Amino acid sequence: MLKLLRPAMTRILTPLGRALVRRGIGPNAVTAIGTLGTVISALLLFPLGYLTAGALLITLFVLFDLLDGVVARLGGGGGSTWGAFLDSTLDRVADAAVFAGLIMYFISRKDTLMAAVTLACLVLGGLVSYAKARAEGLGLTCDVGLAERPERLVVALVAAFLSGLGVPYILPVGMWLLAVASAVTVVQRVVHVHKQTGGKQPGER
């Protein structure tokens, strides 16, 4: 569903992308601004209990992840190997900030169990991304799994948003589901790579 929404969002963001290109703002700057906004919003608002406001602001800055691609395609410069590397690296920073903010939120409420579950979401999310990057670095494909980055962000932000509105248990349920889904995704990617390699060690034929 999220992949189907991407073309529509790209069309919506194209006028803004053109305006940024005319002002000499490149995709790398857009990526950096989006990441900075996400980090500040997550680490400032979530720990203080402003879950709804934090989720809304983070969602706004997450859209920069689409906007930087639009700017690059429209000729804003930086649409390069370096730009792709920077984008992927800052995505990890933004993801870590979102879950770190939620961890601090649970700690502030002395909910050690949910802080641990959310930490598991952060660690497993990193493993999901690493498994794909490592596989692709070896010339393999690894675009499989139940909980990729967009799905993880949607679950976390929607759960935080609704929890801030007073919906009971939604944030703990969201974190538990996300932890399980992320663990399943890690296993799916390991199995997928194993099938492609036949389980062979380096140098084996």
Side-chain angles (χ1 to χ4, degrees), residues 58-77:
I58 291 168
T59 300
L60 176 64
F61 286 114
V62 165
L63 291 178
F64 277 67
D65 192 40
L66 294 176
L67 184 59
D68 60 4
V70 172
V71 172
R73 285 192 294 274
L74 292 172

Side-chain angles (χ1 to χ4, degrees), residues 4-155:
L4 291 174
L5 289 175
R6 181 176 285 268
M9 290 303 302
T10 299
R11 287 194 295 272
I12 293 171
L13 293 171
T14 295
L16 177 56
R18 289 199 183 98
L20 293 174
V21 170
R22 285 196 296 269
R23 287 164 176 75
I25 299 175
N28 294 341
V30 174
T31 299
I33 292 169
T35 301
L36 181 62
T38 297
V39 170
I40 292 174
S41 300
L43 297 183
L44 180 63
L45 296 177
F46 280 170
L48 294 176
Y50 298 115
L51 298 180
T52 298
L56 286 174
L57 275 176
I58 291 168
T59 300
L60 176 64
F61 286 114
V62 165
L63 291 178
F64 277 67
D65 192 40
L66 294 176
L67 184 59
D68 60 4
V70 172
V71 172
R73 285 192 294 274
L74 292 172
S80 60
T81 301
W82 160 245
F85 171 81
L86 180 66
D87 182 59
S88 296
T89 301
L90 292 184
D91 280 350
R92 306 288 84 76
V93 173
D95 293 354
V98 170
F99 288 100
L102 291 174
I103 290 169
M104 288 189 284
Y105 166 77
F106 285 120
I107 290 175
S108 70
R109 279 149 181 76
K110 301 184 178 359
D111 192 339
T112 306
L113 174 60
M114 287 314 306
V117 172
T118 308
L119 176 60
C121 292
L122 192 162
V123 173
L124 290 168
L127 283 174
V128 169
S129 298
Y130 174 79
K132 181 176 181 178
R134 181 60 177 151
E136 291 179 346
L138 294 171
L140 306 170
T141 63
C142 198
D143 193 18
V144 298
L146 181 64
E148 296 189 84
R149 182 178 186 253
E151 288 78 12
R152 295 196 304 273
L153 283 177
V154 167
V155 171

